Each structure stands twice: as C-alpha cells, then as structure tokens.
Amino acid sequence: MSSSVATAAEAEIWIVPFFGQGHLFPCIELCKQIASRNYKSTLIIPSHISATSIIPSSFHQYPLFEVTEIPSSSPPLPPPSPPHPHVVMHSQMLPGLRNLLSTRDPESRSVCAVIDVMMGWTADVFKIFEVPIVGFFTSGACSAAVECAMWQARIQDVKPGEAR
C-alpha cells in the first residue's frame, strides 16, 4: 500500500465473540453489517466450535466476511485444582491468537478488534499488535439500543473519517 490511508475493502475488522450461541449470533450479525459496508470482517472462533455449524449459508454472499478458527487444544493441565473451563479455553486460545496476529500480511490494515465483553483477556494481545479495541456487549437490550442509535444517527451515511 503506497499511502497510509487504506480503502474500506483493504481494511480489516476483527470480531471476537464469547463461546455461547447468545454471544455468537450478535457477533455474526455485526460481521454482516461490517461486510455490507465494504470492510473485511473476520470472526475469530476457537477450533472446537465448528464454523460450518454456526455460520448460516447465506453469509457466503458476503465475500468480505471470513471465519478464522484458532486452535484450542493444549497439553492437559495439572490435576490439583481444576480451573474453570473458560480459563482453560482462554489459555489454549492465547498462543493461537498471538500467532494469527503475528503472521498477518503487514500490508493489511487492522481498523480495530471488536471484542465481546466476556473476552476482555484478548485485549492485551491486540494491544501488543497496536490494534485498537472496541468492546461489544451482546445483550438483546443493548443490541436493540444500538440498532435504534444507528437508525437515528443515519449510520449508513457516515463517510470514512467522519465522526458524529
């Protein structure tokens, strides 16, 4: 890229959902909205979640929507005090997320990472790679409020670089 300003299609927005269906669905819908505005949206999920079972086939119509599976297996933890399953999952995904970010094409521009508030531990990894972070609360009430605010702000008319 010859200039520091990337076009929307050259820019990538990472989406990191929590593991439950109630978290995945709003994040998938967010990916759809981002892709429809000509930004590449990459949904990052652990490999134990099958992308083919969670991603509706209709999403194939969005060429800028991508699913990246992070390996989520590691050697077993010592048995003395078993940690919470989410702690285990986080420790398994951490190296994979670091590897994913470190092997990305230097020419691609990460606009930001949108992380589910339950995945706050990923913020440190994105900070290492200087990727701005946005928290995303997947509550149904929050989603309705965001959609209302988007409608009122006429978000579809926002131009690149414009702040409202």
Side-chain angles (χ1 to χ4, degrees):
M1 202 166 24
S2 59
S3 74
S4 61
V5 178
T7 64
E10 295 170 330
E12 182 170 24
I13 299 175
W14 305 85
I15 314 296
V16 184
F18 191 59
F19 312 122
Q21 211 45 11
H23 297 266
L24 287 167
F25 180 73
C27 289
I28 291 170
E29 287 298 311
L30 178 61
C31 286
K32 181 175 124 181
Q33 292 295 321
I34 291 167
S36 72
R37 284 161 177 76
N38 207 31
Y39 285 87
K40 180 179 179 187
S41 62
T42 301
L43 184 71
I44 300 173
I45 60 172
S47 61
H48 79 277
I49 299 174
S50 170
T52 56
S53 67
I54 65 161
I55 308 300
S57 60
S58 63
F59 277 77
H60 297 295
Q61 72 186 24
Y62 296 96
L64 295 174
F65 174 67
E66 179 180 307
V67 177
T68 299
E69 294 182 24
I70 300 289
S72 60
S73 61
S74 67
L77 296 171
S81 62
H84 191 279
H86 293 153
V87 173
V88 173
M89 183 79 59
H90 297 172
S91 66
Q92 292 173 347
M93 281 187 64
L94 190 59
L97 184 58
R98 282 189 187 130
N99 183 54
L100 174 67
L101 293 172
S102 68
T103 58
R104 294 306 274 193
D105 179 2
E107 292 293 315
S108 67
R109 183 178 75 109
S110 297
V111 174
C112 67
V114 179
I115 59 175
D116 187 303
V117 294
M118 299 288 288
M119 297 295 280
W121 60 272
T122 63
D124 292 335
V125 178
F126 286 107
K127 286 178 188 174
I128 291 169
F129 294 93
E130 299 179 351
V131 176
I133 303 154
V134 176
F136 184 58
F137 191 73
T138 56
S139 163
C142 182
S143 176
V146 168
E147 286 188 33
C148 180
M150 287 173 50
W151 172 71
Q152 289 175 335
R154 299 190 46 80
I155 197 74
Q156 69 275 11
D157 297 333
V158 174
K159 305 288 185 263
E162 178 184 354
R164 290 190 183 186

